[in-house]
Amino acid sequence: MKAIIIDGEPGIDNLRLVERPMPTPRRQEVIVRIRATALNYRDLEIIRGSYHTRFPLPLIPVSDGVGEVVAIGEGVSRVTVGDRVCSTFWQRWVGGSFDMAEPSHQRGGPLDGLLAEYAVLDEQAVVPAPAHLTDLEAATLPCAGVTAWHSLVTQGHLKAGDTILVLGTGGVSIFALQFAVNAGARVIVTSSSDEKIERARALGAAAGVNYRKHPQWADAVIELTCGRGVDHVLEVGGPDSFAQSLRAVRRGGQISVIGYLGGTEGTINPLDIFRRQVTVRGIPVGSRASFEAMVRAIDGGRIRPVIDRCYPWTDIGEALRHLAGGRHFGKIVLQH
């Protein structure tokens, strides 16, 4: 089979198409013919060598994908040949607290990812794909979708009438917008682009703030909430935006820390968290149980992931450069 690996040293230019032996399933394993994959910022960092952890090379990157089960090993009972399944990011976090997640069993590093024609997966690490989604749409779910769901629903206990602030219009933020609107919540989105804000409003956002025009965007959010602040912030910017997220959230509200697109350097005063009695939690994607609950909601609400652009999977370098440019709205996907 063909696979793309990071070879020698990290770097987009060090990705190489190679031939690998066709995998065979062991007990409780399944072989999946990969039909589509989706990119996350983590994949970009691992490939560039800027991720906080360096993994042994060579490595097949990219954690998220969907495909058809083409072979099963002894004892497999959760799926059958012909089923269409998504991979899970945490291969052994079925449910419960984060204590159950094992760092050594993450797809795309340190375990080989899905940027290949076939992948071998544990039967406990796959979830049936929603039937109404295309392969490209279903491929977007394992990280961005589950992260948004785990933030808002599993941990955040989202309810109708809540006000949610999402930063930017990347994959996690757009999924959070869709899930919140589906649940009857009010969504405010930030962006550097009025055109993207209008696209977010078309998906159901109640309001948007252009942070280029309003550098102190928290003031605009407070005004939009009549001085109260939002119930929940999905914080993807990192230390650079966290201080404003604290100003934008209501007293006793929640901030889910998801990413650091704005950088890793900054100063956070913990007293500000104390004074406002804000709950701040890190979101490490989510468990298979969160994934399965999200799929039920996607099925029930007929939600369709937003795809920015699709590339052939062998054009991974071009796709990664588009992701690095930060101009996308929704997810960047690869057709296998």
Side-chain angles (χ1 to χ4, degrees), residues 98 146-148 150-152 155-156 165 167 172-173 232-243 245-246 249 253-264 268 273 278-286:
F98 184 57
V146 175
T147 296
H150 198 72
S151 301
L152 291 179
Q155 295 291 326
L165 174 64
L167 305 188
V172 173
S173 295
H232 199 146
V233 181
L234 269 76
E235 172 55 70
V236 301
D240 189 51
S241 59
F242 190 87
S245 291
L246 268 175
V249 73
Q254 306 176 64
I255 299 176
S256 288
V257 178
I258 293 165
Y260 44 86
L261 296 177
T264 58
I268 298 171
I273 299 172
V278 174
T279 298
V280 179
R281 64 173 67 88
I283 300 295
V285 188

Side-chain angles (χ1 to χ4, degrees), residues 148-206:
W149 181 268
H150 198 72
S151 301
L152 291 179
V153 181
T154 308
Q155 295 291 326
H157 305 292
L158 173 71
K159 61 184 182 300
D162 283 351
T163 301
I164 311 301
L165 174 64
V166 298
L167 305 188
T169 55
V172 173
S173 295
I174 295 301
F175 269 119
L177 161 61
Q178 292 176 292
F179 294 152
V181 169
N182 189 62
R186 180 172 184 253
V187 180
I188 300 171
V189 60
T190 69
S191 175
S192 62
S193 163
D194 288 340
E195 186 269 336
K196 286 184 177 180
I197 289 173
E198 287 307 308
R199 291 181 67 184
R201 290 175 69 92
L203 290 171

Side-chain angles (χ1 to χ4, degrees), residues 103-307:
S104 61
H105 284 79
Q106 300 171 77
R107 281 286 159 193
L111 296 181
D112 274 337
L114 304 181
L115 201 60
E117 292 181 311
Y118 296 88
V120 57
L121 303 170
D122 190 288
E123 70 161 329
Q124 299 297 333
V126 296
V127 172
H132 71 285
L133 298 187
T134 66
D135 289 337
L136 296 176
E137 291 169 333
T140 69
L141 300 179
C143 279
V146 175
T147 296
W149 181 268
H150 198 72
S151 301
L152 291 179
V153 181
T154 308
Q155 295 291 326
H157 305 292
L158 173 71
K159 61 184 182 300
D162 283 351
T163 301
I164 311 301
L165 174 64
V166 298
L167 305 188
T169 55
V172 173
S173 295
I174 295 301
F175 269 119
L177 161 61
Q178 292 176 292
F179 294 152
V181 169
N182 189 62
R186 180 172 184 253
V187 180
I188 300 171
V189 60
T190 69
S191 175
S192 62
S193 163
D194 288 340
E195 186 269 336
K196 286 184 177 180
I197 289 173
E198 287 307 308
R199 291 181 67 184
R201 290 175 69 92
L203 290 171
V209 178
N210 186 319
Y211 61 78
R212 299 287 188 205
K213 298 178 180 178
H214 304 279
Q216 299 302 310
W217 47 264
D219 295 337
V221 173
I222 292 296
E223 184 176 345
L224 286 167
T225 57
C226 301
R228 179 176 182 268
V230 300
D231 297 289
H232 199 146
V233 181
L234 269 76
E235 172 55 70
V236 301
D240 189 51
S241 59
F242 190 87
Q244 292 214 58
S245 291
L246 268 175
R247 288 171 47 212
V249 73
R250 70 168 174 82
R251 294 180 65 184
Q254 306 176 64
I255 299 176
S256 288
V257 178
I258 293 165
Y260 44 86
L261 296 177
T264 58
E265 301 297 325
T267 301
I268 298 171
N269 185 351
L271 287 178
D272 291 336
I273 299 172
F274 170 77
R275 292 187 187 104
R276 299 185 65 77
Q277 290 295 288
V278 174
T279 298
V280 179
R281 64 173 67 88
I283 300 295
V285 188
S287 67
R288 196 188 82 200
S290 278
F291 198 154
E292 291 167 333
M294 178 193 72
V295 166
R296 293 192 292 272
I298 288 173
D299 276 333
R302 310 304 286 179
I303 296 169
R304 304 196 80 104
V306 176
I307 294 174

Side-chain angles (χ1 to χ4, degrees), residues 1-4 17 22-25 29-37 64-72 79-87 113-121 126 129 135-136 138-139 312-314 334-336:
M1 71 170 192
K2 291 180 173 60
I4 292 176
L17 184 66
M22 181 67 186
T24 56
E29 289 181 341
V30 301
I31 304 300
V32 176
R33 171 67 170 97
I34 304 300
R35 298 300 185 187
T37 48
D64 291 10
V66 67
E68 178 187 351
V69 176
V70 295
I72 60 175
V79 296
T80 61
V81 171
D83 286 352
R84 192 174 66 133
V85 297
C86 296
S87 63
L114 304 181
L115 201 60
E117 292 181 311
Y118 296 88
V120 57
L121 303 170
V126 296
D135 289 337
L136 296 176
W313 73 284
T314 50
L334 304 170
Q335 178 80 58
H336 284 236

